[in-house]
Amino acid sequence: YNIFKYKTNNKILNFIFVLASFITIFNYLAMEHVYFIECSIMSLGIFLSVQCAKIIIYDEKNKYVKTFLLGLIVVFCYQGSLAFLPMIVIFYKLFFEKDTLKQNIKDIFKISIIYIILMLLTIIYSKVLFGVTRTQIGAEPFSIIEVWKWAIQLAINSLGVIPPYVHIGYITLTILIIILLMKKTKKEKALYIFKYLFIVTYSVVLSLAPIVGGSGLELTPRTCLAYGCTIGFSLYLMLYIVLENNKKIQINFISLIVIA
């Protein structure tokens, strides 16, 4: 909330941003966390993952060292929790910092490398200590066709957690809001849409990467938090666009969507 809030004294709008922030973290794919008795540890991982993102965004001293050490705790709480780190940082860098494309690519590369190294460390740990135990049951070879099917199940069917096409509907609505309501040139709108679709695509890749990387994990809601949080990001973008326009009917319309 503190990272993405809109500067206003309007208490209702502040509340709407609280809701959008809540939806970003406790998104529909995080619902599965409540099934598990170890949910407190999984939640600790999510909390620390967000703290890692704040360390980088607020540009703290030795930010990458701090992030790596905290991230090491995150992945051992639960691997899926680490996804919030790259997602929040990259979303912030692309939409809330006035950096060049070259700088954006550098930032995305750095945070992706940290994510990959941390994930690999847990995979190596599991393979070395538990490679011949029952914890590795279910780690089967995969094909490109299977990966494509997984992507469809995630992106369109939302793994059955919510009705099919609802998430795609939010993505489509966000693109329409950018095209129709954003007060920018066509070139600027096109770049905005490109960055938005990059975030969505990155989230799908991030969700599938542990499986493709041989972690032994299956495609389940709790491993796909990166994709789930893009609904929250969509709401942020729509809110900022209509708030910049300062038209009450537009603000009310998007606010109702957030509440819904």
Side-chain angles (χ1 to χ4, degrees):
Y1 169 75
N2 285 327
I3 293 169
F4 298 114
K5 68 182 178 182
Y6 189 86
K7 292 181 180 179
T8 176
N9 294 321
N10 188 313
K11 291 182 178 179
I12 295 175
L13 280 178
N14 283 330
F15 175 68
I16 295 298
F17 269 89
V18 168
L19 291 183
S21 301
F22 184 86
I23 293 165
T24 303
I25 303 302
F26 195 56
N27 59 71
Y28 69 93
L29 291 174
M31 290 295 221
E32 199 181 39
H33 280 58
V34 300
Y35 292 169
F36 299 95
I37 196 168
E38 66 271 27
C39 63
S40 58
I41 299 300
M42 298 162 82
S43 299
L44 174 64
I46 293 174
F47 172 74
L48 293 179
S49 189
V50 176
Q51 298 309 306
C52 289
K54 287 172 68 178
I55 287 169
I56 292 178
I57 289 168
Y58 294 158
D59 200 22
E60 292 186 14
K61 188 178 179 181
N62 301 317
K63 58 184 178 182
Y64 290 114
V65 175
K66 291 179 181 177
T67 298
F68 183 83
L69 294 175
L70 269 182
L72 202 55
I73 299 173
V74 173
V75 288
F76 282 99
C77 288
Y78 190 71
Q79 287 172 313
S81 303
L82 189 65
F84 284 109
L85 167 59
M87 289 303 298
I88 293 172
V89 171
I90 293 172
F91 180 67
Y92 183 85
K93 294 286 184 180
L94 288 180
F95 291 99
F96 293 88
E97 282 191 353
K98 306 298 181 182
D99 290 331
T100 62
L101 179 61
K102 185 178 179 181
Q103 186 58 47
N104 284 335
I105 293 171
K106 283 183 179 179
D107 290 334
I108 292 168
F109 179 76
K110 286 178 184 177
I111 197 65
S112 298
I113 289 297
I114 291 173
Y115 175 83
I116 291 168
I117 291 172
L118 288 169
M119 291 296 283
L120 282 175
L121 284 175
T122 56
I123 292 171
I124 293 168
Y125 175 82
S126 297
K127 295 292 184 184
V128 171
L129 293 184
F130 305 106
V132 293
T133 67
R134 66 184 301 274
T135 62
Q136 292 301 305
I137 290 173
E140 299 176 354
F142 59 88
S143 66
I144 297 299
I145 294 173
E146 284 179 319
V147 173
W148 175 250
K149 288 179 179 178
W150 293 338
I152 296 297
Q153 283 298 316
L154 174 61
I156 295 177
N157 297 327
S158 300
L159 301 181
V161 180
I162 56 176
Y165 298 100
V166 170
H167 198 137
I168 291 294
Y170 274 92
I171 293 169
T172 305
L173 178 62
T174 305
I175 293 171
L176 287 174
I177 294 293
I178 294 169
I179 294 170
L180 300 175
L181 300 183
M182 193 176 184
K183 292 181 178 179
K184 298 286 184 181
T185 63
K186 289 182 179 179
K187 186 177 179 180
E188 289 172 323
K189 287 181 179 180
L191 180 60
Y192 213 78
I193 291 170
F194 172 78
K195 291 193 290 186
Y196 173 66
L197 290 177
F198 173 81
I199 285 284
V200 174
T201 305
Y202 189 92
S203 72
V204 174
V205 172
L206 214 61
S207 298
L208 299 180
I211 307 170
V212 176
S215 66
L217 295 174
E218 296 177 351
L219 190 68
T220 58
R222 65 188 179 278
T223 64
C224 300
L225 299 178
Y227 183 65
C229 75
T230 60
I231 278 192
F233 292 163
S234 300
L235 297 174
Y236 283 136
L237 292 181
M238 289 190 284
L239 282 168
Y240 264 89
I241 290 169
V242 297
L243 285 168
E244 289 298 319
N245 292 344
N246 198 27
K247 291 186 178 180
K248 193 172 181 180
I249 188 168
Q250 293 179 11
I251 295 170
N252 289 342
F253 173 66
I254 302 301
S255 295
L256 284 173
I257 290 173
V258 176
I259 292 167

